[in-house]
Amino acid sequence: MRVYLPATIAMLRKLDTEGEFAPVSGTGFALTPALRESYTSGDTEELEYAALLDAARASLRLMAAERENGEKEPARRAVVSADVDDVTLRPDLDVAVVRLGGPVPRGRIAAVHVDTAEAEEPVLAAAEVIDAADLGDEDAEFTLGEAEDHELAWYAVQELPFFLELL
């Protein structure tokens, strides 16, 4: 199953050095039966993109937590897409949520999706208000939308060391 795993730049650096990606609490997002049922239309590609966007939003939460702990990496959403077999569906959490059985080795990673430099300011602003947006604050939701207007760039896993070096 193709899964989309929320990440941060610091987590991508760890992936690069350790050769595997350990999602926080084993949590990822995927095109699950519950996600498919929640949409009235859309092909597989469109629904997988919806799961990727859920992972990108979760990336904001991870970034906010890192920044509270003093992390100073660039403010860019990151998502690791991988093909894994050991997945448990978690519709009790959300329609696209899955739980992985363990870390994902580099060889199972299909791509890495990361914001471009132009998105840093709105992404940082969104990370600061993500909790308020979740609680229904309309201004925070607008700020979140500004960040989500930016498309994530696609990188092959082989490009990751070069990408990180150029940050």
Side-chain angles (χ1 to χ4, degrees), residues 11-89:
M11 293 170 75
L12 294 180
R13 290 191 193 283
K14 190 172 180 182
L15 162 62
D16 187 45
T17 59
E18 296 182 2
E20 66 180 16
F21 183 80
V24 174
S25 300
T27 301
F29 299 83
L31 173 51
T32 64
L35 177 63
R36 188 176 297 281
E37 287 177 16
S38 71
Y39 280 84
T40 57
S41 66
D43 63 18
T44 297
E45 186 174 320
E46 291 170 319
L47 297 176
E48 284 183 339
Y49 185 67
L52 181 137
L53 292 179
D54 284 347
R57 185 172 278 207
S59 172
L60 289 170
R61 291 180 184 87
L62 296 175
M63 186 186 319
E66 283 184 356
R67 290 192 167 274
E68 283 180 12
N69 292 324
E71 183 65 57
K72 297 297 181 191
E73 290 284 5
R76 297 189 191 189
R77 296 171 299 162
V79 175
V80 173
S81 50
D83 296 310
V84 296
D85 298 322
D86 187 14
V87 174
T88 303
L89 303 179

